[in-house]
Amino acid sequence: MTMVSDSIAVGDVVAGSAVGVRGRLWRLRPAEVREVAVSVSAEILRLEAIRVTAVDELALNSDEQVLCYRGVGRWLAANTMLQNSAGNKIAALGAALRVFPDIAAQFEAGDLSFDHAALIAAFCESPPKGMPDIALIPSLKTLLAAASGVEATTVKLRYAIAVLERIFESDEPPPGEDDDLNVLRIAPTLNGRVVIKGDFDALTGEMLLSALSGLSMPKPAADGTPDARSAAKRTADAFTELIRRYLDNAATGIDGGQRPHVNVHITAKDLAEHRECATTRADSGEPDFDDLDVGYMPWMGPLSVSKTRMLACDCMLSTVLMDGNGAPLDVTPLERLVCKEQRIALIARDKGCAFPNCDAVPAWCDAHHIKPWSTGGLTVMDNLVLLCRSHHTLIHSTSGFRGIWEIKMGDDHKPWFIPPAAIDPKQRRRRSTTRQGPVHRD
């Protein structure tokens, strides 16, 4: 009698066909399935780098089949399941990587995503007009460091770009803030519906997302049944309601305890400084990031200092007193619920859900007492942290993820998260990196 093993190797799943893959995955332990997901993601990065290089090689040495199309990107789209826009992006990145080998090297090593490589290449192709040639290489190294590794986020990279644009500030706005590029197309369709397609600057996007936030939250039915609408359907319903309220009386709802509006956070010193204060280290041309900051919006992220200063000319200004580490000082500590001033201070410090790698915006967050109020925990900044509803529930769970997450306030008065041993046997402390720019000091 021949015994047949029922085991299956992770490598076989990664290298095998996707046909019937679910049937192979269920035979693996959760830890092995996680290994499959991570390995496949690394393999996708590797194959993406090969595709970009191959497409660029065809751009340099086209044959008759490629020459039949208006560009190698369109040829790729015609022969794959990609759209023309995606094919053109691949071709454009390949051409850019020829000029910037440092970006190519990190991209081909699998330590840089396609989108982040394209962002960095676009910056290097059109650097701020005030940037001297000597500063390009150190600036490129800064961007590559911000985009490197699994903790890299688009917000971190955009923050680094925003700081560089501040250092080498020019009179021209960066593309993300240039409202001359805004477009909105609204077209009725043959079946009586309307198609909307737009492209807006960061400030307009922040206003729109802030206005839609409270209106698009899930709303359980009267019997407690969860909202069955998809996120896209809730956003569409919110957009309809926004228009209706405007037509009725320009009425707005309440979002996170406040009327929806644009919030921009920046240090008072940076708000007051002139562009001459942004410097480079004279000996190397390397950007001097010390004590520099840019504006930050909860939804759209970094905003240039010039745009922030423009908004400050006509705004309601709220002051939050900070210590040397950028942590807010305490206000009104004797009540159980956080007051308006404390919530403003929490948003300035945490900028949204503070749980590692969570990108929930402040409007979706609760103020959590690290030491419960019921056991003597005061409503002070060192005992408060912003958490989205999902992570708030996880922290309060007695068996959250086969263990209990702990929150400790660091010496810098900012929260650290310690995972249970089932997730990390060494229980190394973690901090949110989603919104942290490379120049924030801990």
Side-chain angles (χ1 to χ4, degrees):
M1 181 177 180
T2 302
M3 298 294 294
V4 178
S5 173
D6 194 42
S7 64
I8 183 170
V10 169
D12 294 337
V13 177
V14 174
S17 169
V19 177
V21 68
R22 188 176 294 276
R24 298 194 296 277
L25 285 173
W26 75 264
R27 293 156 61 187
L28 300 178
R29 292 178 287 113
E32 293 173 321
V33 177
R34 285 192 280 108
E35 184 180 346
V36 168
V38 172
S39 297
V40 169
S41 297
E43 186 70 0
I44 289 172
L45 287 178
R46 184 184 72 84
L47 294 174
E48 188 70 82
I50 293 174
R51 179 169 64 177
V52 168
T53 305
V55 168
D56 190 52
E57 186 63 27
L58 283 173
L60 295 172
N61 300 287
S62 301
D63 60 10
E64 291 183 356
Q65 291 195 39
V66 176
L67 291 173
C68 292
Y69 295 85
R70 288 188 294 119
V72 67
R74 289 179 176 269
W75 166 84
L76 180 65
N79 289 274
T80 63
M81 298 178 68
L82 296 174
Q83 300 299 307
N84 283 335
S85 57
N88 290 336
K89 286 182 180 179
I90 291 169
L93 179 58
L97 295 184
R98 276 185 254 144
V99 182
F100 303 106
D102 288 348
I103 305 177
Q106 191 160 313
F107 179 55
E108 291 167 1
D111 198 33
L112 186 66
S113 71
F114 179 96
D115 289 336
H116 289 173
L119 267 176
I120 297 173
F123 176 88
C124 293
E125 287 177 328
S126 300
K129 291 192 175 181
M131 176 185 285
D133 293 340
I134 192 176
L136 182 58
I137 292 178
S139 296
L140 174 57
K141 290 180 180 178
T142 297
L143 297 182
L144 289 174
S148 174
V150 295
E151 291 188 346
T153 65
T154 301
V155 171
K156 281 182 65 176
L157 179 55
R158 285 183 52 227
Y159 189 97
I161 291 174
V163 171
L164 288 170
E165 287 171 339
R166 178 199 170 170
I167 293 174
F168 306 107
E169 201 171 1
S170 68
D171 293 330
E172 294 186 6
E177 297 175 14
D178 188 354
D179 55 16
D180 286 340
L181 302 177
N182 289 1
V183 292
L184 178 64
R185 297 181 177 88
I186 304 177
T189 64
L190 293 177
N191 64 351
R193 299 183 63 80
V194 172
V195 172
I196 302 175
K197 184 176 182 180
D199 184 3
F200 295 96
D201 63 283
L203 181 57
T204 302
E206 183 74 13
M207 290 189 289
L208 179 59
L209 292 170
S210 297
L212 292 174
S213 174
L215 301 175
S216 60
M217 296 289 282
K219 296 179 181 178
D223 61 358
T225 304
D227 196 330
R229 297 175 298 166
S230 66
K233 176 66 168 109
R234 286 190 278 109
T235 302
D237 291 346
F239 189 66
T240 301
E241 181 64 16
L242 186 67
I243 297 171
R244 180 181 294 113
R245 292 188 182 191
Y246 174 78
L247 294 176
D248 284 346
N249 237 344
T252 59
I254 299 299
D255 184 6
Q258 299 175 324
R259 289 164 59 88
H261 54 280
V262 172
N263 288 288
V264 182
H265 298 95
I266 191 170
T267 64
K269 178 179 70 67
D270 288 305
L271 183 63
E273 277 182 354
H274 297 290
R275 71 179 60 184
E276 288 78 9
C277 298
T279 62
T280 59
R281 298 188 179 100
D283 55 342
S284 65
E286 182 178 350
D288 186 355
F289 284 113
D290 294 341
D291 297 324
L292 281 183
D293 207 348
V294 296
Y296 189 94
M297 298 181 293
W299 287 98
M300 297 297 295
L303 187 71
S304 70
V305 170
S306 58
K307 179 66 77 171
T308 303
R309 290 174 185 150
M310 184 197 76
L311 294 176
C313 291
D314 181 21
C315 72
M316 294 179 62
L317 187 64
S318 297
T319 301
V320 180
L321 297 179
M322 305 286 220
D323 64 15
N325 295 309
L329 302 180
D330 285 310
V331 291
T332 320
L334 301 180
E335 300 292 332
R336 182 177 72 86
L337 299 178
V338 298
C339 63
K340 176 182 177 181
E341 291 78 10
Q342 283 178 313
R343 184 170 180 88
I344 291 173
L346 280 171
I347 293 173
R349 186 192 69 191
D350 296 341
K351 296 183 173 65
C353 181
F355 196 89
N357 298 316
C358 183
D359 59 359
V361 296
W364 297 352
C365 294
D366 303 323
H368 167 71
H369 285 75
I370 297 173
K371 181 180 179 180
W373 170 267
S374 59
T375 60
L378 296 178
T379 308
V380 296
M381 296 306 300
D382 272 1
N383 194 45
L384 294 171
V385 62
L386 284 183
L387 295 175
C388 68
R389 186 56 53 88
S390 295
H391 287 125
H392 200 176
T393 302
L394 174 64
I395 293 296
H396 278 285
S397 175
T398 57
S399 60
F401 256 57
R402 293 162 46 199
I404 299 174
W405 281 82
E406 293 184 68
I407 306 177
K408 301 287 186 183
M409 196 61 66
D411 294 336
D412 56 0
H413 305 287
K414 295 180 182 179
W416 290 88
F417 292 76
I418 302 174
I423 293 179
D424 181 0
K426 296 183 178 180
Q427 292 191 286
R428 289 163 290 199
R429 63 180 191 166
R430 308 178 184 185
R431 174 171 284 168
S432 173
T433 58
T434 305
R435 299 170 184 80
Q436 294 297 315
V439 300
H440 280 207
R441 293 158 300 284
D442 290 327

